[in-house]
Amino acid sequence: MTDATTTPAAGPAATRGAPEPARRYARLAADESREDFSLRYAPHSYRRWGPATVAGTALGGIAYLADFAIGASIVFAYGFTSGLAAILTAAVVIFLTGIPIARACATYGLDMDLVTRGAGFGYFGSTLTSLIYASFTFIFFALEGSIMAQAMHQAVGLPLEIGYLLTTLIVIPIVFRGMGALAKVQAWTQPLWLVGLVLPFLVLGFEHPAAFGAFAHFGGVRGAGAGFSWIGFGFGTGIALSLIAQIGEQADYLRFMPARTPATSRRWKLAVLAAGPGWVVIGAAKQLGGAFLAFVALEAVGETRALEPIAPQIEALRPWLGGLALPAAALFVIVSQVKINVTNAYSGSLSWSNFFSRITHRHPGRVWYIFLNLAIALTLMELDMFAMLGKLLGFYSNVGIAWIAAVAADLVINKRLGLSPPYIEFKRAYLYAVNPAGFGAMVIASTVSILAFAGAFGTYAEAFSTFIAAFLALVLCPLIAWATGGKYYLARPNTLTGPGVEVADVTATHTCGVCESAYELPDIADCPVQAGPICSLCCSLNATCGDVCRKGAGEGAGGGAVVLPLPTVRRL
């Protein structure tokens, strides 16, 4: 499992910055129909889908029913009023932080990891966020897989352990093929999913209209009461905010958004808004809808089963479908979970690929990491993580929101104030290993908020730990950038994509001196070791150059920086 046919040996020459021999990527890594530019900029030549198609595919990935379980668990624990306030507040926070991230990913053709690199974290600083994002994908894969296994168990009596394995294996052929296969699956299943989503509420609207009013007075199952509670609001918001990293999965689609032109500008902006932060509008509605269905089914099936989306679906459909309610509900659940878990598996493979390429300087191909991500998810399912839903998501949200808030702060505050470059620099050749602005803000914010979540600062701080994480990250990122004078954003000036450059043709290609393939200009760096252009991936995988380009050794080995045409710099 190698990324090249030859690898130079370490030694004195390597220390001086020895040029690498020609690199030949393994077949799976070289085949972009599977690889989908997992570690690099998505070129304009590959962005063949229209804005509406990209947006529709991205929104197809939010068909998951974890929203139903999360909303039900919040309202069951803290009552309707506190639960409603928590869900809506979390939705507002997720929407606002998602706007700049979605625009950056769509504008620059980059995934969440690459945007994080240039938005205050540095080349290795973003490695930790790759793990955070990977954990998001396998935690939610396990959660969604558990829901699908519950549906299979209910429908045909399949043992849960076998159901967990089946839900894991079923997505592999789809995810293996990458973006093209995912787009087809989302498009083909969308009509069936929409019918299944709306039908239970339609049935209840006709058969039990009084249930909607009764739900508004629901006080939970643990004596929380129907009134507002600050403690319940804080804890509930923390659970709902565990979904904040979903913007990363949206970004995996948004990076294929075509270039914005004057003719498509309005459609482009609407598509980015809908496919990026817009997912949370549907997500919040699903959380409230799931809580309502669970409330209606509570008396018939009990608390434990009411939190499993399949049981409330059956109870809601029974008045109209009778004996067909079970297979209809099971079909809806299975379709929903396949739609989201192909996205979870795909995004997880991208994140693991990013992580290991920096640690090992190897790139065997994204598809191999599908199996790693799914193996971890399967283990979590077998350990019955569904039973620990609230605590697990509450803890995760402290780290997730610190990361996302720090990135958003850089994009919205630092770039507008001139504390960071006006564009996203993601290439190793120009980045410091760690940028304390974003990385430091995230580490401090998440550490303090986790201590608060553990009860170190009292009950109220425990309940509002995610608010502490968001506030600290938003404040510390610009403060650290200001205190350091923005020094750690660029290790050296980028003569190819520097500020103020306005040259229209960014689609011009240049041949990488290592892998000898042609790449569009934004994916190219000037390499003094190679004495010519190098693509961002070959630059990342080079283990012998000694980073001389970032240490003032531009004269060594290769002579100087290569002079290439300059691309357009788009400002967010």
Side-chain angles (χ1 to χ4, degrees):
M1 203 165 66
T2 180
D3 55 29
T5 55
T6 56
T7 303
T15 304
R16 293 193 303 270
E20 279 203 326
R23 182 186 301 275
R24 295 291 180 268
Y25 289 105
R27 181 178 177 181
L28 290 179
D31 183 356
E32 297 295 0
S33 69
R34 294 184 177 93
E35 190 53 25
D36 285 351
F37 306 93
S38 63
L39 301 184
R40 61 168 87 246
Y41 157 86
H44 289 281
S45 61
Y46 192 75
R47 302 186 213 175
R48 57 182 180 268
W49 298 277
T53 301
V54 175
T57 303
L59 290 175
I62 64 165
Y64 51 86
L65 298 184
D67 271 339
F68 280 45
I70 289 171
S73 67
I74 292 172
V75 174
F76 273 27
Y78 307 113
F80 173 80
T81 304
S82 298
L84 174 65
I87 290 169
L88 294 181
T89 299
V92 170
V93 173
I94 292 172
F95 188 88
L96 293 178
T97 55
I99 292 174
I101 293 173
R103 288 176 63 88
C105 293
T107 298
Y108 295 105
L110 305 176
D111 66 11
M112 190 67 200
D113 179 79
L114 300 186
V115 167
T116 299
R117 284 187 198 176
F121 281 71
Y123 181 72
F124 273 107
S126 66
T127 304
L128 178 59
T129 67
S130 291
L131 288 180
I132 296 172
Y133 183 33
S135 65
F136 173 85
T137 63
F138 63 65
I139 285 172
F140 277 90
F141 187 103
L143 178 56
E144 306 296 348
S146 297
I147 292 172
M148 191 193 303
Q150 291 162 4
M152 293 176 175
H153 176 70
Q154 187 90 356
V156 297
L158 187 71
L160 287 175
E161 293 76 14
I162 299 177
Y164 297 149
L165 179 61
L166 184 58
T167 62
T168 302
L169 296 177
I170 199 172
V171 304
I172 293 176
I174 302 170
V175 182
F176 204 81
R177 298 303 308 178
M179 176 65 176
L182 266 65
K184 292 177 182 177
V185 168
Q186 302 298 3
W188 293 344
T189 57
Q190 199 73 345
L192 178 61
W193 178 77
L194 287 172
V195 171
L197 178 69
V198 173
L199 187 58
F201 300 99
L202 188 63
V203 173
L204 291 175
F206 279 97
E207 299 295 331
H208 302 288
F212 292 92
F215 180 53
H217 299 285
F218 180 52
V221 297
R222 298 163 200 167
F228 181 79
S229 164
W230 283 106
I231 296 294
F233 167 71
F235 279 120
T237 305
I239 295 172
L241 280 173
S242 64
L243 292 164
I244 196 166
Q246 177 64 32
I247 188 61
E249 295 198 347
Q250 304 307 112
D252 289 335
Y253 295 104
L254 285 168
R255 64 199 176 108
F256 297 115
M257 192 70 71
R260 185 177 67 194
T261 66
T264 64
S265 180
R266 184 176 180 183
R267 295 198 306 275
W268 188 93
K269 290 179 180 178
L270 287 174
V272 170
L273 190 67
W279 76 266
V280 79
V281 177
I282 302 173
K286 286 163 57 190
Q287 289 176 45
L288 292 172
F292 172 66
L293 293 179
F295 162 74
V296 173
L298 179 61
E299 185 175 346
V301 303
E303 179 184 350
T304 301
R305 289 191 57 209
L307 292 174
E308 301 174 358
I310 180 65
Q313 288 280 328
I314 295 171
E315 292 302 314
L317 294 174
R318 201 184 300 279
W320 282 12
L321 300 184
L324 294 177
L326 173 57
L331 177 62
F332 170 67
V333 172
I334 292 170
V335 168
S336 299
Q337 304 317 88
V338 168
K339 284 169 71 67
I340 180 55
N341 266 355
V342 294
T343 301
N344 282 329
Y346 175 70
S347 296
S349 69
L350 293 178
S351 188
W352 284 118
S353 190
N354 271 294
F355 174 76
F356 281 108
S357 72
R358 274 168 283 179
I359 299 300
T360 67
H361 296 283
R362 290 285 186 272
H363 180 50
R366 171 190 65 82
V367 297
W368 293 106
Y369 296 109
I370 297 171
F371 302 103
L372 172 63
N373 210 51
L374 296 186
I376 299 173
L378 179 59
T379 302
L380 289 177
M381 283 189 275
E382 297 291 354
L383 293 174
D384 193 19
M385 68 148 287
F386 193 84
M388 303 178 289
L389 178 64
K391 281 292 182 183
L392 180 64
L393 298 184
F395 173 83
Y396 178 83
S397 64
N398 288 281
V399 182
I401 195 170
W403 165 37
I404 298 299
V407 173
D410 179 83
L411 296 175
V412 174
I413 301 173
N414 295 5
K415 294 195 181 304
R416 293 181 185 274
L417 295 180
L419 298 173
S420 67
Y423 68 103
I424 304 294
E425 181 54 74
F426 67 95
K427 295 180 285 294
R428 172 192 178 188
Y430 305 107
L431 295 174
Y432 281 99
V434 175
N435 185 342
F439 183 77
M442 183 197 73
V443 171
I444 294 171
S446 59
T447 300
V448 173
S449 65
I450 288 173
L451 289 173
F453 183 74
F457 309 126
T459 303
Y460 277 92
E462 180 182 356
F464 286 88
S465 62
T466 51
F467 289 84
I468 295 172
F471 175 77
L472 287 177
L474 286 169
V475 171
L476 288 174
C477 183
L479 278 180
I480 296 174
W482 172 77
T484 57
K487 172 184 175 181
Y488 296 97
Y489 280 90
L490 293 177
R492 65 175 174 123
N494 185 344
T495 58
L496 306 183
T497 54
V501 175
E502 294 293 341
V503 177
D505 188 12
V506 299
T507 61
T509 60
H510 297 268
T511 300
C512 171
V514 179
C515 67
E516 300 176 345
S517 296
Y519 299 96
E520 291 182 7
L521 192 55
D523 207 23
I524 289 288
D526 54 323
C527 180
V529 174
Q530 296 297 141
I534 186 171
C535 73
S536 63
L537 181 53
C538 285
C539 181
S540 290
L541 299 179
N542 194 327
T544 63
C545 66
D547 290 324
V548 296
C549 64
R550 300 187 304 188
K551 298 176 181 177
E555 307 78 25
V562 61
V563 178
L564 299 174
L566 297 169
T568 300
V569 171
R570 293 199 177 206
R571 299 178 185 274
L572 297 178

Coordinates of all heavy atoms in Angstrom, one line a residue, residues 198-249:
V198 N -42.8 13.4 5.5 CA -44.0 14.2 5.7 C -45.2 13.4 6.1 O -46.0 13.8 6.9 CB -44.3 15.0 4.4 CG1 -45.7 15.7 4.5 CG2 -43.2 16.0 4.1
L199 N -45.3 12.1 5.7 CA -46.5 11.3 5.9 C -46.9 11.2 7.3 O -48.1 11.3 7.7 CB -46.4 10.0 5.2 CG -47.6 9.1 5.2 CD1 -48.8 9.8 4.5 CD2 -47.3 7.8 4.5
P200 N -46.0 10.9 8.3 CA -46.5 10.7 9.7 C -47.1 11.9 10.3 O -48.1 11.8 11.0 CB -45.2 10.3 10.4 CG -44.3 9.8 9.4 CD -44.6 10.5 8.1
F201 N -46.6 13.1 9.9 CA -47.2 14.3 10.5 C -48.5 14.6 9.8 O -49.4 15.2 10.4 CB -46.2 15.5 10.2 CG -44.9 15.3 10.9 CD1 -43.8 14.8 10.2 CD2 -44.7 15.5 12.3 CE1 -42.6 14.6 10.8 CE2 -43.5 15.3 12.9 CZ -42.4 14.9 12.2
L202 N -48.7 14.2 8.5 CA -49.9 14.4 7.9 C -51.0 13.5 8.5 O -52.1 13.9 8.8 CB -49.8 14.0 6.4 CG -51.0 14.3 5.5 CD1 -51.3 15.8 5.4 CD2 -50.7 13.8 4.1
V203 N -50.6 12.3 8.8 CA -51.6 11.3 9.5 C -52.0 11.9 10.8 O -53.2 11.9 11.2 CB -50.9 9.9 9.6 CG1 -51.9 9.0 10.4 CG2 -50.7 9.3 8.2
L204 N -51.0 12.3 11.6 CA -51.4 12.8 13.0 C -52.2 14.1 12.9 O -53.0 14.4 13.7 CB -50.1 13.1 13.7 CG -49.3 11.8 14.1 CD1 -48.0 12.2 14.8 CD2 -50.1 11.0 15.1
G205 N -51.9 14.9 11.9 CA -52.7 16.1 11.7 C -54.2 15.9 11.5 O -55.1 16.6 12.0
F206 N -54.5 14.8 10.8 CA -55.9 14.4 10.6 C -56.5 13.6 11.7 O -57.6 13.7 12.1 CB -56.0 13.6 9.2 CG -56.0 14.5 8.0 CD1 -54.9 14.7 7.3 CD2 -57.2 15.1 7.6 CE1 -54.9 15.5 6.1 CE2 -57.2 15.9 6.5 CZ -56.1 16.1 5.7
E207 N -55.7 12.7 12.2 CA -56.2 11.7 13.2 C -56.1 12.2 14.7 O -56.9 11.8 15.5 CB -55.4 10.4 13.1 CG -55.6 9.7 11.7 CD -57.0 9.3 11.4 OE1 -57.7 9.0 12.4 OE2 -57.4 9.3 10.2
H208 N -55.1 12.9 15.0 CA -54.9 13.4 16.4 C -54.4 14.9 16.4 O -53.3 15.2 16.9 CB -53.8 12.5 17.1 CG -54.1 11.1 17.1 ND1 -55.1 10.5 17.9 CD2 -53.5 10.0 16.4 CE1 -55.1 9.2 17.7 NE2 -54.2 8.9 16.8
P209 N -55.3 15.8 15.9 CA -54.9 17.2 15.9 C -54.6 17.8 17.3 O -53.8 18.7 17.4 CB -56.0 17.8 15.2 CG -57.2 16.9 15.4 CD -56.6 15.5 15.4
A210 N -55.3 17.2 18.3 CA -55.1 17.8 19.6 C -53.7 17.5 20.2 O -53.2 18.2 21.1 CB -56.1 17.2 20.6
A211 N -53.0 16.5 19.6 CA -51.7 16.2 20.1 C -50.7 17.3 19.9 O -49.7 17.5 20.8 CB -51.1 14.9 19.4
F212 N -50.8 18.2 18.9 CA -49.9 19.3 18.7 C -50.0 20.3 19.9 O -49.0 20.7 20.4 CB -50.2 20.0 17.4 CG -49.9 19.2 16.2 CD1 -50.9 18.3 15.6 CD2 -48.6 19.2 15.6 CE1 -50.6 17.6 14.5 CE2 -48.4 18.4 14.5 CZ -49.3 17.6 13.9
G213 N -51.2 20.6 20.3 CA -51.4 21.5 21.5 C -50.9 20.8 22.8 O -50.2 21.5 23.6
A214 N -51.1 19.5 23.0 CA -50.7 18.9 24.2 C -49.1 18.8 24.2 O -48.6 18.9 25.3 CB -51.2 17.5 24.2
F215 N -48.5 18.7 23.1 CA -47.0 18.7 23.1 C -46.4 19.9 23.6 O -45.4 19.9 24.3 CB -46.6 18.4 21.6 CG -45.1 18.4 21.4 CD1 -44.3 17.5 22.2 CD2 -44.4 19.2 20.5 CE1 -42.9 17.4 22.0 CE2 -43.1 19.1 20.3 CZ -42.3 18.2 21.1
A216 N -47.1 21.1 23.4 CA -46.6 22.4 23.8 C -46.6 22.5 25.3 O -45.9 23.4 25.9 CB -47.4 23.5 23.2
H217 N -47.3 21.6 26.0 CA -47.4 21.6 27.5 C -46.6 20.4 28.1 O -46.8 20.2 29.3 CB -48.8 21.6 27.9 CG -49.6 22.8 27.5 ND1 -49.5 24.0 28.0 CD2 -50.5 22.9 26.4 CE1 -50.3 24.9 27.4 NE2 -50.9 24.2 26.4
F218 N -45.9 19.7 27.3 CA -45.2 18.5 27.8 C -44.0 18.9 28.7 O -43.2 19.7 28.3 CB -44.6 17.7 26.6 CG -43.9 16.5 26.9 CD1 -44.5 15.5 27.7 CD2 -42.6 16.2 26.4 CE1 -43.8 14.3 28.0 CE2 -42.0 15.0 26.7 CZ -42.6 14.1 27.5
G219 N -44.0 18.3 29.9 CA -42.9 18.6 30.9 C -41.8 17.7 30.9 O -41.0 17.7 31.9
G220 N -41.7 16.8 30.0 CA -40.6 15.8 30.0 C -41.0 14.6 30.8 O -42.1 14.5 31.3
V221 N -40.1 13.6 30.9 CA -40.4 12.4 31.6 C -39.6 12.3 32.9 O -39.8 11.3 33.6 CB -40.0 11.2 30.7 CG1 -40.8 11.1 29.4 CG2 -38.5 11.2 30.4
R222 N -38.9 13.3 33.3 CA -38.1 13.3 34.5 C -38.4 14.4 35.4 O -37.6 14.9 36.2 CB -36.6 13.2 34.2 CG -36.2 12.0 33.4 CD -34.9 12.1 32.7 NE -34.7 11.2 31.6 CZ -33.8 11.2 30.7 NH1 -32.9 12.2 30.8 NH2 -33.7 10.3 29.7
G223 N -39.6 15.0 35.3 CA -40.1 16.0 36.2 C -39.5 17.4 36.0 O -39.5 18.2 36.8
A224 N -39.0 17.6 34.7 CA -38.4 19.0 34.4 C -39.5 20.0 34.4 O -39.2 21.2 34.8 CB -37.7 18.9 33.1
G225 N -40.7 19.7 34.0 CA -41.8 20.7 34.0 C -41.9 21.3 32.6 O -40.9 21.4 31.9
A226 N -43.0 21.9 32.3 CA -43.3 22.5 31.0 C -42.7 23.9 30.9 O -42.6 24.5 29.8 CB -44.7 22.5 30.7
G227 N -42.3 24.5 32.1 CA -41.8 25.9 32.0 C -40.4 25.9 31.6 O -39.7 24.9 31.4
F228 N -39.8 27.2 31.5 CA -38.5 27.4 31.1 C -37.5 27.2 32.2 O -37.7 27.6 33.3 CB -38.3 28.8 30.5 CG -36.9 29.0 30.0 CD1 -36.4 28.5 28.8 CD2 -36.0 29.8 30.8 CE1 -35.2 28.8 28.3 CE2 -34.7 30.0 30.3 CZ -34.3 29.5 29.1
S229 N -36.4 26.5 32.0 CA -35.3 26.2 32.9 C -34.0 26.6 32.3 O -33.6 26.1 31.2 CB -35.3 24.8 33.4 OG -34.1 24.4 34.0
W230 N -33.2 27.5 32.9 CA -31.9 27.9 32.4 C -31.0 26.7 32.3 O -30.2 26.5 31.4 CB -31.3 29.0 33.2 CG -31.9 30.3 33.0 CD1 -32.7 31.0 33.8 CD2 -31.7 31.1 31.8 NE1 -33.1 32.2 33.2 CE2 -32.4 32.3 31.9 CE3 -30.9 31.0 30.6 CZ2 -32.5 33.3 31.0 CZ3 -31.0 32.0 29.7 CH2 -31.7 33.1 29.8
I231 N -31.0 25.8 33.4 CA -30.2 24.7 33.4 C -30.5 23.7 32.2 O -29.7 23.2 31.5 CB -30.3 23.9 34.7 CG1 -29.7 24.8 35.9 CG2 -29.5 22.6 34.7 CD1 -28.3 25.1 35.8
G232 N -31.8 23.5 32.1 CA -32.3 22.6 31.0 C -31.9 23.2 29.6 O -31.5 22.5 28.7
F233 N -32.1 24.5 29.5 CA -31.8 25.2 28.3 C -30.3 25.0 27.9 O -29.9 24.7 26.8 CB -32.1 26.7 28.4 CG -31.6 27.5 27.3 CD1 -32.0 27.5 26.0 CD2 -30.5 28.4 27.6 CE1 -31.5 28.3 25.0 CE2 -30.0 29.2 26.6 CZ -30.5 29.2 25.3
G234 N -29.4 25.2 28.9 CA -28.0 25.1 28.7 C -27.6 23.7 28.3 O -26.9 23.5 27.3
F235 N -28.0 22.7 29.0 CA -27.7 21.3 28.7 C -28.3 20.9 27.3 O -27.6 20.2 26.5 CB -28.2 20.4 29.8 CG -27.3 20.3 31.0 CD1 -27.8 20.6 32.2 CD2 -26.0 19.8 30.8 CE1 -27.0 20.5 33.3 CE2 -25.2 19.8 32.0 CZ -25.6 20.1 33.2
G236 N -29.5 21.3 27.1 CA -30.1 21.0 25.8 C -29.4 21.6 24.6 O -29.2 20.9 23.6
T237 N -29.0 22.8 24.8 CA -28.3 23.5 23.7 C -26.9 22.8 23.4 O -26.5 22.6 22.3 CB -28.0 25.0 24.0 OG1 -29.2 25.6 24.3 CG2 -27.3 25.7 22.9
G238 N -26.3 22.4 24.5 CA -25.0 21.6 24.3 C -25.2 20.4 23.5 O -24.4 20.1 22.6
I239 N -26.3 19.6 23.8 CA -26.5 18.4 23.0 C -26.8 18.7 21.5 O -26.2 18.1 20.6 CB -27.7 17.6 23.6 CG1 -27.3 17.1 25.0 CG2 -28.1 16.4 22.7 CD1 -28.5 16.5 25.8
A240 N -27.6 19.7 21.3 CA -27.9 20.1 19.9 C -26.7 20.6 19.2 O -26.6 20.4 17.9 CB -29.1 21.1 19.9
L241 N -25.8 21.3 19.9 CA -24.6 21.9 19.2 C -23.6 20.8 18.8 O -22.6 21.1 18.2 CB -24.0 22.9 20.2 CG -24.6 24.3 20.2 CD1 -24.0 25.2 21.2 CD2 -24.5 24.9 18.8
S242 N -23.8 19.6 19.3 CA -22.9 18.5 18.8 C -23.0 18.3 17.3 O -22.0 17.8 16.7 CB -23.3 17.2 19.5 OG -24.6 16.7 19.1
L243 N -24.0 18.9 16.7 CA -24.1 18.8 15.2 C -23.4 19.9 14.5 O -23.5 19.9 13.2 CB -25.6 18.8 14.9 CG -26.5 17.6 15.3 CD1 -28.0 17.9 15.2 CD2 -26.2 16.4 14.4
I244 N -22.7 20.7 15.2 CA -22.1 21.9 14.5 C -21.0 21.5 13.5 O -20.8 22.1 12.5 CB -21.4 22.8 15.6 CG1 -21.2 24.2 14.9 CG2 -20.2 22.2 16.2 CD1 -20.9 25.3 15.9
A245 N -20.4 20.3 13.7 CA -19.3 19.9 12.7 C -20.0 19.3 11.4 O -19.2 19.0 10.5 CB -18.4 18.8 13.4
Q246 N -21.3 19.3 11.4 CA -21.9 18.9 10.1 C -21.6 19.8 8.9 O -21.6 19.3 7.8 CB -23.5 18.9 10.3 CG -24.3 18.5 9.1 CD -24.1 17.1 8.6 OE1 -23.8 16.2 9.4 NE2 -24.1 16.9 7.3
I247 N -21.2 21.0 9.2 CA -20.8 21.9 8.2 C -19.6 21.3 7.4 O -19.4 21.6 6.2 CB -20.4 23.3 8.7 CG1 -20.2 24.3 7.6 CG2 -19.2 23.2 9.6 CD1 -21.4 24.5 6.7
G248 N -18.8 20.5 8.1 CA -17.7 19.8 7.4 C -18.1 18.9 6.3 O -17.5 18.8 5.2
E249 N -19.2 18.1 6.6 CA -19.8 17.2 5.6 C -20.4 18.0 4.5 O -20.3 17.6 3.3 CB -20.8 16.3 6.2 CG -20.1 15.3 7.3 CD -21.0 14.1 7.6 OE1 -22.2 14.1 7.2 OE2 -20.4 13.2 8.2

